[in-house]
Amino acid sequence: MSTTPPVLAAELALAWSDIQRYHPELPDLAAPESLIGESSSACGAQLSFERLLHEAVHGIAAARGVRDTSRAGRYHNRRFLAIAEELGLEHPEEPHPSSGFSLVVMNAGARRRHRQTAERLQWALSAHLAATAADTKRSFRGPAARHGSSGGGVRVKAVCDCGRNVRVVPSVLAQAPIVCGACNKPFRIDEAVDPVTAAA
Protein backbone atom coordinates (compact mmCIF):
# COMPACT_ATOMS: atom_id res chain seq x y z
CA MET A 1 0.00 0.00 0.00
CA SER A 2 1.36 3.42 -0.97
CA THR A 3 1.67 6.19 1.62
CA THR A 4 0.95 9.02 -0.83
CA PRO A 5 -1.80 11.49 0.08
CA PRO A 6 -4.17 10.29 -2.69
CA VAL A 7 -4.07 6.79 -1.19
CA LEU A 8 -4.68 8.18 2.29
CA ALA A 9 -7.62 10.14 0.87
CA ALA A 10 -8.92 6.89 -0.62
CA GLU A 11 -8.60 5.19 2.78
CA LEU A 12 -10.56 8.03 4.36
CA ALA A 13 -13.25 7.63 1.70
CA LEU A 14 -13.42 3.87 2.36
CA ALA A 15 -13.72 4.46 6.09
CA TRP A 16 -16.52 6.99 5.45
CA SER A 17 -18.28 4.39 3.28
CA ASP A 18 -18.06 1.93 6.18
CA ILE A 19 -19.93 4.44 8.37
CA GLN A 20 -22.50 4.97 5.60
CA ARG A 21 -23.12 1.21 5.49
CA TYR A 22 -24.65 1.48 8.97
CA HIS A 23 -26.05 5.01 8.53
CA PRO A 24 -27.27 5.41 4.91
CA GLU A 25 -28.55 8.96 5.46
CA LEU A 26 -24.95 10.16 5.93
CA PRO A 27 -24.04 12.30 2.89
CA ASP A 28 -21.00 11.46 0.79
CA LEU A 29 -17.67 12.92 1.86
CA ALA A 30 -17.00 15.43 -0.92
CA ALA A 31 -13.26 15.92 -0.36
CA PRO A 32 -11.67 13.38 2.01
CA GLU A 33 -8.23 14.85 1.34
CA SER A 34 -9.39 18.11 2.94
CA LEU A 35 -9.29 16.33 6.32
CA ILE A 36 -5.59 15.50 5.93
CA GLY A 37 -3.52 17.96 7.91
CA GLU A 38 -6.58 19.83 9.16
CA SER A 39 -7.34 20.15 12.84
CA SER A 40 -10.12 21.59 14.91
CA SER A 41 -9.78 21.97 18.65
CA ALA A 42 -13.55 21.66 19.05
CA CYS A 43 -13.85 18.47 16.99
CA GLY A 44 -10.59 16.82 18.04
CA ALA A 45 -7.13 17.73 16.82
CA GLN A 46 -5.94 14.31 15.66
CA LEU A 47 -7.33 12.64 12.56
CA SER A 48 -8.49 9.10 13.36
CA PHE A 49 -11.49 6.85 12.75
CA GLU A 50 -13.03 8.22 15.95
CA ARG A 51 -12.62 11.76 14.59
CA LEU A 52 -14.18 10.60 11.32
CA LEU A 53 -17.21 9.33 13.25
CA HIS A 54 -17.39 12.74 14.96
CA GLU A 55 -17.44 14.45 11.54
CA ALA A 56 -20.12 11.97 10.42
CA VAL A 57 -22.32 13.17 13.29
CA HIS A 58 -22.10 16.69 11.84
CA GLY A 59 -22.90 15.25 8.38
CA ILE A 60 -26.04 13.51 9.60
CA ALA A 61 -27.08 16.61 11.56
CA ALA A 62 -26.75 18.68 8.38
CA ALA A 63 -28.75 16.10 6.39
CA ARG A 64 -31.52 16.27 9.00
CA GLY A 65 -31.42 20.05 9.25
CA VAL A 66 -30.43 19.82 12.92
CA ARG A 67 -28.39 22.62 14.47
CA ASP A 68 -25.88 20.59 16.48
CA THR A 69 -23.43 23.36 17.44
CA SER A 70 -23.37 26.99 18.49
CA ARG A 71 -20.71 29.62 19.26
CA ALA A 72 -19.29 29.47 15.71
CA GLY A 73 -19.26 25.67 15.73
CA ARG A 74 -17.31 25.32 18.97
CA TYR A 75 -20.07 24.29 21.39
CA HIS A 76 -21.52 20.82 20.67
CA ASN A 77 -25.01 20.63 22.12
CA ARG A 78 -27.30 17.79 23.26
CA ARG A 79 -28.66 17.36 19.72
CA PHE A 80 -25.08 16.60 18.63
CA LEU A 81 -24.77 14.11 21.50
CA ALA A 82 -28.03 12.35 20.58
CA ILE A 83 -26.83 11.72 17.00
CA ALA A 84 -23.36 10.79 18.27
CA GLU A 85 -24.92 8.09 20.43
CA GLU A 86 -26.69 6.68 17.33
CA LEU A 87 -23.24 6.26 15.73
CA GLY A 88 -21.74 4.53 18.74
CA LEU A 89 -20.08 7.51 20.38
CA GLU A 90 -20.43 8.48 24.01
CA HIS A 91 -19.46 11.42 26.21
CA PRO A 92 -18.51 9.97 29.59
CA GLU A 93 -18.02 13.31 31.34
CA GLU A 94 -19.96 16.48 32.02
CA PRO A 95 -20.11 18.88 29.04
CA HIS A 96 -17.07 21.11 28.63
CA PRO A 97 -17.84 24.82 29.31
CA SER A 98 -16.65 25.95 25.87
CA SER A 99 -16.95 22.88 23.59
CA GLY A 100 -19.93 21.08 25.16
CA PHE A 101 -20.21 17.41 24.22
CA SER A 102 -17.46 17.51 21.57
CA LEU A 103 -15.04 15.06 23.22
CA VAL A 104 -16.99 11.93 22.31
CA VAL A 105 -15.30 8.52 22.19
CA MET A 106 -16.28 5.21 20.60
CA ASN A 107 -18.19 2.82 22.80
CA ALA A 108 -17.38 -0.91 22.87
CA GLY A 109 -19.98 -1.76 20.22
CA ALA A 110 -18.63 0.79 17.75
CA ARG A 111 -15.06 -0.40 18.36
CA ARG A 112 -16.09 -3.96 17.52
CA ARG A 113 -18.20 -2.95 14.52
CA HIS A 114 -15.54 -0.77 12.91
CA ARG A 115 -12.39 -2.54 14.20
CA GLN A 116 -10.93 -3.58 10.83
CA THR A 117 -11.71 -0.26 9.17
CA ALA A 118 -10.26 1.71 12.09
CA GLU A 119 -7.08 -0.38 12.09
CA ARG A 120 -6.63 0.00 8.33
CA LEU A 121 -7.14 3.77 8.52
CA GLN A 122 -4.75 4.05 11.47
CA TRP A 123 -2.09 2.17 9.51
CA ALA A 124 -2.53 4.54 6.54
CA LEU A 125 -2.40 7.61 8.81
CA SER A 126 0.73 6.35 10.59
CA ALA A 127 2.45 5.57 7.29
CA HIS A 128 1.49 8.99 5.91
CA LEU A 129 2.80 10.79 9.00
CA ALA A 130 6.07 8.83 8.84
CA ALA A 131 6.46 9.61 5.13
CA THR A 132 5.78 13.32 5.56
CA ALA A 133 7.80 13.80 8.78
CA ALA A 134 11.06 13.83 6.83
CA ASP A 135 9.69 16.47 4.45
CA THR A 136 8.83 18.82 7.32
CA LYS A 137 12.48 19.61 7.98
CA ARG A 138 13.19 20.40 4.32
CA SER A 139 9.95 22.13 3.32
CA PHE A 140 8.77 25.70 3.72
CA ARG A 141 5.38 25.40 5.42
CA GLY A 142 4.33 29.05 5.51
CA PRO A 143 3.79 31.62 8.25
CA ALA A 144 0.84 29.88 9.92
CA ALA A 145 2.91 26.75 10.58
CA ARG A 146 5.89 28.79 11.83
CA HIS A 147 3.71 30.60 14.35
CA GLY A 148 2.00 27.47 15.65
CA SER A 149 -1.38 27.94 14.00
CA SER A 150 -3.64 24.88 14.10
CA GLY A 151 -5.34 25.96 10.86
CA GLY A 152 -2.78 24.26 8.62
CA GLY A 153 -1.71 27.42 6.75
CA VAL A 154 -3.12 30.39 4.90
CA ARG A 155 -6.20 29.62 2.83
CA VAL A 156 -6.54 31.00 -0.68
CA LYS A 157 -9.43 31.04 -3.12
CA ALA A 158 -9.76 27.99 -5.40
CA VAL A 159 -12.25 28.07 -8.28
CA CYS A 160 -13.82 25.57 -10.67
CA ASP A 161 -15.13 25.99 -14.22
CA CYS A 162 -18.75 26.50 -13.14
CA GLY A 163 -17.79 29.52 -11.01
CA ARG A 164 -17.99 27.98 -7.54
CA ASN A 165 -15.13 28.67 -5.16
CA VAL A 166 -13.72 27.42 -1.87
CA ARG A 167 -11.02 28.61 0.52
CA VAL A 168 -8.26 26.03 0.80
CA VAL A 169 -4.71 25.64 2.06
CA PRO A 170 -2.59 25.31 -1.13
CA SER A 171 -0.68 22.33 0.29
CA VAL A 172 -3.96 20.44 0.78
CA LEU A 173 -4.98 21.12 -2.83
CA ALA A 174 -1.52 20.02 -4.00
CA GLN A 175 -1.93 16.62 -2.34
CA ALA A 176 -4.81 15.59 -4.60
CA PRO A 177 -7.54 17.29 -6.65
CA ILE A 178 -10.64 18.55 -4.87
CA VAL A 179 -13.49 17.97 -7.30
CA CYS A 180 -16.56 20.20 -7.55
CA GLY A 181 -19.79 18.33 -6.90
CA ALA A 182 -21.69 20.53 -9.38
CA CYS A 183 -19.52 20.24 -12.51
CA ASN A 184 -17.10 17.38 -11.64
CA LYS A 185 -14.11 19.58 -12.50
CA PRO A 186 -11.19 20.07 -10.11
CA PHE A 187 -10.84 23.27 -8.13
CA ARG A 188 -7.69 25.27 -8.95
CA ILE A 189 -5.98 28.21 -7.27
CA ASP A 190 -7.35 31.47 -8.61
CA GLU A 191 -4.34 33.04 -10.33
CA ALA A 192 -5.80 36.48 -9.67
CA VAL A 193 -5.30 35.96 -5.93
CA ASP A 194 -1.80 36.51 -4.61
CA PRO A 195 -1.35 34.18 -1.59
CA VAL A 196 0.95 36.74 0.06
CA THR A 197 -1.70 39.44 -0.29
CA ALA A 198 -4.41 37.01 0.85
CA ALA A 199 -2.41 36.29 4.00
CA ALA A 200 -2.12 39.96 4.91
Side-chain angles (χ1 to χ4, degrees):
M1 181 184 293
S2 169
T3 60
T4 59
V7 171
L8 178 53
E11 290 295 330
L12 285 164
L14 285 171
W16 192 262
S17 295
D18 185 45
I19 302 169
Q20 285 178 312
R21 192 157 52 102
Y22 297 96
H23 306 280
E25 67 181 308
L26 176 63
D28 291 339
L29 184 60
E33 61 274 10
S34 67
L35 292 172
I36 302 170
E38 287 293 306
S39 65
S40 165
S41 58
C43 293
Q46 185 176 359
L47 185 54
S48 64
F49 187 78
E50 194 166 75
R51 165 82 188 277
L52 209 59
L53 273 177
H54 179 124
E55 297 297 340
V57 174
H58 291 305
I60 289 176
R64 294 178 182 175
V66 172
R67 186 173 177 191
D68 62 341
T69 63
S70 58
R71 302 179 197 168
R74 290 187 305 274
Y75 191 86
H76 293 57
N77 59 33
R78 289 190 183 277
R79 291 184 290 274
F80 170 86
L81 181 60
I83 298 171
E85 288 172 345
E86 292 178 36
L87 273 69
L89 294 167
E90 59 188 6
H91 195 277
E93 302 172 3
E94 290 299 309
H96 188 275
S98 62
S99 61
F101 296 97
S102 69
L103 301 177
V104 287
V105 295
M106 282 194 288
N107 63 27
R111 283 196 298 272
R112 281 192 304 273
R113 183 167 54 249
H114 298 292
R115 183 182 61 80
Q116 288 184 330
T117 303
E119 288 175 357
R120 181 175 169 141
L121 179 60
Q122 189 54 51
W123 186 92
L125 286 163
S126 297
H128 173 71
L129 288 172
T132 56
D135 291 341
T136 304
K137 295 173 185 167
R138 296 176 296 164
S139 303
F140 175 74
R141 297 178 60 214
R146 290 199 310 276
H147 296 294
S149 167
S150 63
V154 177
R155 288 171 171 76
V156 298
K157 185 165 135 183
V159 298
C160 70
D161 290 343
C162 70
R164 297 177 72 214
N165 65 73
V166 295
R167 304 292 289 182
V168 64
V169 178
S171 62
V172 171
L173 192 61
Q175 291 171 358
I178 297 175
V179 179
C180 175
C183 69
N184 290 321
K185 299 288 174 98
F187 284 95
R188 63 187 185 286
I189 301 295
D190 186 353
E191 300 299 333
V193 177
D194 180 354
V196 175
T197 304

